[in-house]
Amino acid sequence: MADSEKDLRKLVDSPTGIFLALSLLSSNRVIGYVAADLLESFSNIPAANADPHFGKRDTIYVASVGVLPNWRGRGFGTVLMRECLQVASQKGIERVTAHIETRSVARTGLTMKVLKSFTDWYGTDSTFDYVEILMEA
């Protein structure tokens, strides 16, 4: 979970944003979160402003999903994503997009459509896909 506090605060404070945290009941310790907002809030992110839905205000962009290292690989990220999809649907959002590392797309257990791929994403030497996450009916 490496997002800056400033970036996360902006998402938490956004009236159109979705910010969900997952905590342990036994300790009240947050072990993961998902942060999203309207696609139009991310015009500086590659592919976001070129998305055909940009400007329609019908798409949520998942900006960040984080799970503490000791809790990864247990499905918590997928749980957070599914909950985010549900909240988006309740808000009347028709579409959800995100950038996801190519090697992680299959592990999410979510149905996604790859819209565009980016090699060496922000100098990470990793390939990321811009995906539409299909919302279950």
Side-chain angles (χ1 to χ4, degrees), residues 65-96:
V65 178
V67 177
L68 289 174
N70 290 345
W71 296 95
R72 292 180 187 155
R74 301 180 193 193
F76 293 122
T78 300
V79 167
L80 286 161
M81 284 294 294
R82 287 189 192 284
E83 189 64 24
C84 182
L85 293 173
Q86 184 175 12
V87 171
S89 178
Q90 290 168 354
K91 289 182 167 211
I93 296 299
E94 300 172 8
R95 235 171 131 249
V96 177

Side-chain angles (χ1 to χ4, degrees), residues 22-35:
L22 180 64
S23 66
L24 299 173
L25 291 176
S26 60
S27 67
N28 269 348
R29 181 177 180 196
V30 173
I31 62 166
Y33 69 89
V34 61

